[in-house]
Amino acid sequence: MRFEFATATRIVFGEGTAATLPELVRTFGTRPLVVTGASIERAAWLVSELSAEVFAVPGEPTVDLVREGARRVQDSNCDVILSLGGGSAIDAGKAIAAVATNGGDPLEFLEVLGQGRAIVVPPLPFLAVPTTAGTGSEVTRNAVLGSTEHGVKVSLRSQLMLPKIALVDPELTYGLPPAVTAATGLDALTQLIEPYVSVRANPLVDAICVAGIRRITGALRRVYHDGADREARRDMALASLFGGLALANAGLGVVHGFAAPLGGSWKAPHGALCAALLPHGMAANVAIARLLTGRKEASEEDGIEWIRELCVELNVPPLRAWGIDKADLPGVVEKAARASSMQANPLPLTGEELLRVAMAAL
Ligand SMILES: [Zn+2]
């Protein structure tokens, strides 16, 4: 047996650790750029403490937004970037840090869409601080960017893009509303299931996935119904972190293969799309079914049914709720088949099989 497992990110986990951020940032630079979500108030304390520049990411990040951010870094001579927010803010900050030092247009570096130009210059030091529990982007080496022009989402990817520090403070997620908790939590679950059954899985990835899935099966329902459940919030924050480590090392699969073109063309949150697709796209796997249901004799169908029921309880809307139509699906299937995530799916799925998955999730 041979395998590799890589991460170069220093992980700081725990309630209250966010208070150490100013000190951590100062070890990397003196002119920070703080990248945050639509409401910049949540980062106000950090911005004033560090006298930092602030850059808001109002929605899921795009090529245009990263271009603007990189210009901002150059204009203000920033030497360190910190993202405080959900996956969008983290991916935006990660991409800005790389484009700022490598020069040129973000589009040049994109896989699938662009020329796939390599990131060769180390990005600016980047610190990632998630405020949702789902994407795991604080420990991955890619940033997912949308291109409105091409109607697809693709990655900017390099081993050099791993954040220097991932600081995960579960307290930052206490205020998340139930719908965001559900969508991001189901993204985390997907990001533990897909690497586990991926063609690139290895024993270390498996161990992380099993530990993460166990935490989610206990915590996601609790945290959806009671956002103040500290233990459940902690479990979700850990599971999300585990998902990031797993996907960075083993890739994803059919659900994320679909999430790329769907998220590129329709204004639906990534987590919500994954949630709608998960019970249908889940590559049937007996081991996963046992893990989810906690029953030794559970079948593949039991595992799928368990996720289906969870989606109903968490009020996950079907794909058509986002304006996706039956007539759109053949085009989506074509793009999904080419998505990088699809290459890690345990089974090569035909166009017809992909269409069946998408129809079921509609
Ligand atoms: Zn995801």
Side-chain angles (χ1 to χ4, degrees), residues 195-340:
Y196 187 63
V197 298
S198 152
V199 291
R200 300 207 291 269
N202 66 52
L204 191 44
V205 166
D206 288 352
I208 287 173
C209 292
V210 169
I213 289 169
R214 287 221 171 96
R215 283 182 192 271
I216 291 192
T217 55
L220 186 48
R221 280 192 167 91
R222 276 165 56 198
V223 86
Y224 179 72
H225 296 296
D226 175 15
D229 187 327
R230 294 171 61 92
E231 251 174 63
R233 286 286 191 202
R234 179 189 304 148
D235 279 345
M236 290 308 299
L238 268 178
S240 170
L241 175 69
F242 289 2
L245 288 169
L247 81 88
N249 283 282
L252 291 160
V254 55
V255 172
H256 278 82
F258 270 116
L262 289 173
S265 298
W266 285 273
K267 285 221 166 314
H270 170 74
L273 292 175
C274 286
L277 284 157
L278 181 58
H280 313 286
M282 190 174 89
N285 184 301
V286 174
I288 281 286
R290 287 182 187 150
L291 207 59
L292 290 172
T293 59
R295 290 192 284 118
K296 260 214 229 53
E297 73 293 350
S299 67
E300 297 165 5
E301 287 73 23
D302 291 336
I304 295 169
E305 193 48 40
W306 187 93
I307 294 184
R308 215 173 260 147
E309 281 166 13
L310 180 67
C311 286
V312 170
E313 184 174 339
L314 269 46
N315 293 305
V316 172
L319 293 182
R320 77 186 111 80
W322 305 105
I324 300 160
D325 197 77
K326 193 173 165 186
D328 298 318
L329 295 184
V332 168
V333 163
E334 207 181 297
K335 286 180 185 165
R338 287 199 304 267
S340 56

Side-chain angles (χ1 to χ4, degrees), residues 134-136 144 184 186-188 190-191 194 247 252 255-256 259 270-271 274:
T135 68
V144 183
T184 50
L186 283 160
D187 185 25
T190 312
Q191 293 179 171
E194 293 202 298
L247 81 88
L252 291 160
V255 172
H256 278 82
H270 170 74
C274 286

Side-chain angles (χ1 to χ4, degrees), residues 31-35 53 55 66-81 92-93 95-101 124:
R31 298 185 61 85
L33 177 76
V34 171
V35 178
E53 292 286 318
F55 186 76
V66 170
R67 194 179 291 130
E68 194 190 319
R71 206 175 302 131
R72 190 62 183 287
V73 166
Q74 277 143 13
D75 293 348
S76 309
N77 277 319
C78 295
D79 55 6
V80 52
I81 300 183
I96 291 168
V99 173
T101 56
L124 287 179

